[in-house]
Amino acid sequence: MFVFVTYIYETSIPNAMTDDLREKMAGEITVSGDPGRTMRKWREEFSVSQNELAAVMDISPSVISDYESGRRRSPGVGVVKKMVDSLIIIDEGRGHPVASKFKAVKREDCVIAMEEFGSGIPSKDFIEKINGTVLNTDTDGRKIYGYTVVNSVKAITSLSSSDYLKIYGWSTERALIFTDVFFGRSPMVAIRAHPLTPAMVVYLRPENVDQLAIKLAKLEGIPLVSTDMGLEDLLMTLKQMKEGK
């Protein structure tokens, strides 16, 4: 027998702030090859426990555990909608920290491409597909849930502190891929100056990568990778990964 904890949240959620996020979450869970794992990823992205989410959904925490572990069959549309709505409601009660973080970035500024994967891609597989070389540390078995390709020069010269957070898209567990890298210091200094860290940093055809960049990445525990792929080939490879090829 379980006891539900009562939560009172304001339910008038600003559409402009949450509609895209709501659609993205539901779509990603629905098309995922492992919906339970994707459900868990989003719950953890919102820093919500199984008990808290269960209370707002008015179900047993064991039901959420069963979905996330794969013990229960894939959730239907109703369950996914209820979960997404509940996470949005909890986030609103906290002042919209997650919804605010995931506001869209202006692509014309410095972001060349930004996408999410339906399910996580093992780091070693990701590195192999982009013909990458790890410069600093083992990937520790982490997974990549998306990518952002960024022109490093434009990012450094045009992004404010708050704008910089937006290049993380829908999940921080992503690869930040920087073009136009000369020594690699500036991207790593910018990353270290912010509270959010990516799952991986990739330099596309860097002129050189000095030891300071490698040291900063190691201090943050972020795998630092370089690749000699051309931009168009890289974008095609990333697109194929998104399509599950």
Side-chain angles (χ1 to χ4, degrees):
M1 186 173 181
F2 56 89
V3 178
F4 288 121
V5 180
T6 302
Y7 287 80
I8 301 176
Y9 291 107
E10 181 65 41
T11 57
S12 57
I13 305 170
N15 290 336
M17 183 178 289
T18 61
D19 280 354
D20 288 344
L21 178 56
R22 190 192 309 270
E23 180 179 346
K24 176 63 183 176
M25 292 167 63
E28 187 174 311
I29 294 170
T30 301
V31 304
S32 174
D34 189 343
R37 180 178 294 175
T38 308
M39 290 171 72
R40 177 179 177 179
K41 183 200 79 171
W42 278 111
R43 178 178 61 77
E44 292 178 345
E45 188 69 44
F46 280 76
S47 299
V48 173
S49 68
Q50 289 183 345
N51 286 340
E52 184 178 12
L53 179 59
V56 179
M57 292 180 67
D58 196 24
I59 60 175
S60 166
S62 65
V63 174
I64 294 175
S65 177
D66 286 347
Y67 276 126
E68 292 184 353
S69 65
R71 290 191 296 269
R72 187 179 288 250
R73 58 183 292 182
S74 297
V77 174
V79 173
V80 173
K81 182 179 184 302
K82 194 171 185 179
M83 175 192 173
V84 169
D85 286 345
S86 296
L87 288 174
I88 294 292
I89 289 171
I90 293 171
D91 190 54
E92 184 186 39
R94 297 172 176 176
H96 302 293
V98 178
S100 297
K101 183 178 71 176
F102 289 132
K103 285 180 181 178
V105 138
K106 291 183 178 180
R107 298 293 177 90
E108 65 271 20
D109 288 338
C110 65
V111 177
I112 299 170
M114 181 164 61
E115 294 288 351
E116 317 299 321
F117 298 134
S119 58
I121 296 176
S123 293
K124 291 184 178 180
D125 292 348
F126 185 90
I127 293 168
E128 181 179 348
K129 287 180 181 295
I130 66 170
N131 297 327
T133 300
V134 180
L135 302 177
N136 68 323
T137 186
D138 186 73
T139 58
D140 295 327
R142 67 183 72 190
K143 292 192 175 183
I144 307 298
Y145 287 91
Y147 63 87
T148 309
V149 182
V150 183
N151 181 298
S152 62
V153 175
K154 291 183 179 179
I156 292 166
T157 58
S158 66
L159 290 183
S160 67
S161 178
S162 59
D163 286 337
Y164 191 84
L165 299 180
K166 299 176 187 177
I167 69 174
Y168 285 93
W170 303 97
S171 172
T172 57
E173 293 299 305
R174 67 197 306 102
L176 294 187
I177 305 171
F178 292 93
T179 69
D180 298 283
V181 172
F182 294 99
F183 297 106
R185 297 178 183 179
S186 297
M188 283 310 310
V189 169
I191 288 171
R192 196 155 191 245
H194 291 82
L196 300 180
T197 56
M200 182 184 297
V201 172
V202 180
Y203 291 160
L204 181 67
R205 289 189 166 184
E207 293 286 330
N208 188 24
V209 181
D210 67 15
Q211 289 301 310
L212 177 59
I214 295 173
K215 181 179 180 180
L216 291 175
K218 187 173 183 179
L219 287 172
E220 290 298 315
I222 304 171
L224 181 60
V225 178
S226 68
T227 176
D228 289 330
M229 291 185 82
L231 178 58
E232 293 303 318
D233 288 340
L234 175 71
L235 294 176
M236 179 61 70
T237 299
L238 293 170
K239 181 179 179 181
Q240 290 173 347
M241 279 193 270
K242 177 175 172 58
E243 294 171 351
K245 298 180 181 179

